[in-house]
């Protein structure tokens, strides 16, 4: 069911958005050569505990997951792009790391993701992250009342495809509210003017993700981590956005 929020309710999302941004800033800053993915999860876990927030991941067990997730942040490295299950792995120089985090604060959920390079960057990784960031910016720009879900997907594709990247539409954005995943689904490709109409009060997570040389993925043996079919690297950017009568509100802005 698609729910529209009042302006007062949208204001109640803001503490969750600020906290999600804070955790992603902290974990991205801590992601250095030699740091273990489990240490990043522990840092996020401690911040959740201190804030009195509630993880959206630790007990999460959808149909595509092999078991409850069991951790509080997704850590996807190199050829992993989504749902990366933290495990005993020390980050190496040049790793491309995507962090995805969702949490409930006072009953309202926000969800966001960011990709960073650990240590010495590769030019192709920087280009991949920059393009994915531009995809998100373009999508947010058209997240306005009167447009439709297809306009968001088309905006993402209008950036990604000319840059030489293909798009997988199996996983994309989604409604956000009292729970992490709700309607409508927000594909990362689409036709302008098609799909569910964007109305004031709709709160959605927009999350373009790209792989360097493929749009095909598979699930790792851990039952969660989604990896590229050809071993190429991936980047993932996401913000929770509220549709209003005017400009969209980026609830998880990190600046």
């Amino acid at each position: 069911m698609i729910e529209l929020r009042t302006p007062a309710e949208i204001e109640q999302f803001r503490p969750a958005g600020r906290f999600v941004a804070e955790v992603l800033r902290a974990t991205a800053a801590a992601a250095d050569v030699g740091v273990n993915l489990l240490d990043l999860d522990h840092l996020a876990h401690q911040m959740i505990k201190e804030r009195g927030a509630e993880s959206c991941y630790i007990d999460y067990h959808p149909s595509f997951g092999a078991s409850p997730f069991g951790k509080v942040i997704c850590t996807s490295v190199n050829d992993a792009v989504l749902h990366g299950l933290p495990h005993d792995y020390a980050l190496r120089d040049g790793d491309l790391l995507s962090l995805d985090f969702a949490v409930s604060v006072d009953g309202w959920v926000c969800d966001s993701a960011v990709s960073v390079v650990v240590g010495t960057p590769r030019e192709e990784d920087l280009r991949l992250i920059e393009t994915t960031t531009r995809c998100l910016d373009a999508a947010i720009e058209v997240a306005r009342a009167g447009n439709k879900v297809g306009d968001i997907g088309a905006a993402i594709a209008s950036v990604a495809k000319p840059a030489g990247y293909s798009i997988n539409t199996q996983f994309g954005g989604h409604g956000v509210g009292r729970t992490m995943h709700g309607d409508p689904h927000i594909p990362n490709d689409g036709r302008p003017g098609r799909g569910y109409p964007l109305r004031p009060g709709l709160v959605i997570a927009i999350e373009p993700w790209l792989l360097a040389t493929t749009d095909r993925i598979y699930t790792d043996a851990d039952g969660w981590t989604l990896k590229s079919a050809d071993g190429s690297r991936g980047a993932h950017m996401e913000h929770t956005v509220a549709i209003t009568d005017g400009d969209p509100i980026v609830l998880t802005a990190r600046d």
Side-chain angles (χ1 to χ4, degrees):
M1 181 175 70
I2 297 173
E3 297 184 84
L4 301 180
R5 307 298 179 181
T6 67
E9 286 176 323
I10 289 174
E11 287 301 306
Q12 292 173 31
F13 277 86
R14 290 187 183 273
R18 288 193 294 267
F19 181 63
V20 166
E22 179 184 347
V23 171
L24 286 178
R25 282 195 302 267
T27 50
D32 203 352
V33 176
V35 173
N36 198 293
L37 297 181
L38 295 175
D39 293 332
L40 297 179
D41 183 72
H42 178 72
L43 172 59
H45 208 149
Q46 286 297 112
M47 293 180 73
I48 290 172
K49 182 178 178 181
E50 291 169 6
R51 179 61 175 80
E54 182 178 350
S55 171
C56 292
Y57 290 166
I58 198 161
D59 296 322
Y60 186 51
H61 190 187
S63 59
F64 56 81
S67 60
F69 191 72
K71 304 296 181 184
V72 300
I73 191 169
C74 293
T75 55
S76 303
V77 181
N78 296 334
D79 62 332
V81 67
L82 295 175
H83 308 163
L85 185 63
H87 59 285
D88 184 12
Y89 174 82
L91 290 165
R92 301 170 183 173
D93 188 47
D95 277 347
L96 199 170
L97 171 68
S98 296
L99 298 163
D100 190 358
F101 182 71
V103 73
S104 174
V105 175
D106 301 326
W108 297 100
V109 172
C110 281
D111 188 3
S112 186
V114 64
S115 292
V116 297
V117 176
V118 177
T120 309
R122 301 181 184 184
E123 185 60 37
E124 58 268 31
D125 290 344
L126 295 178
R127 178 174 180 270
L128 181 62
I129 291 172
E130 186 268 339
T131 303
T132 311
T133 301
R134 288 195 294 113
C135 286
L136 180 56
D137 291 343
I140 292 171
E141 178 58 34
V142 299
R144 298 173 181 273
N147 289 340
K148 296 188 176 181
V149 162
D151 292 300
I152 293 176
I156 292 169
S158 73
V159 174
K161 290 181 178 180
Y165 300 106
S166 56
I167 296 173
N168 177 296
T169 55
Q170 290 172 261
F171 294 90
H174 50 88
V176 181
R178 293 292 191 178
T179 60
M180 177 171 58
H181 286 149
D183 294 326
H185 175 62
I186 314 291
N188 287 328
D189 196 356
R191 296 176 63 182
R194 297 293 185 91
Y196 183 79
L198 304 179
R199 297 186 174 99
L202 183 66
V203 182
I204 54 176
I206 302 174
E207 52 179 315
W209 56 276
L210 300 174
L211 296 166
T213 57
T214 186
D215 58 10
R216 294 185 301 114
I217 54 176
Y218 72 95
T219 304
D220 188 67
D222 65 15
W224 273 101
T225 305
L226 297 179
K227 294 188 171 185
S228 67
D230 65 357
S232 62
R233 296 184 175 207
H236 179 199
M237 293 290 181
E238 177 181 16
H239 275 310
T240 296
V241 178
I243 311 299
T244 74
D245 288 318
D247 293 338
I249 299 172
V250 181
L251 293 163
T252 49
R254 287 182 291 275
D255 51 15

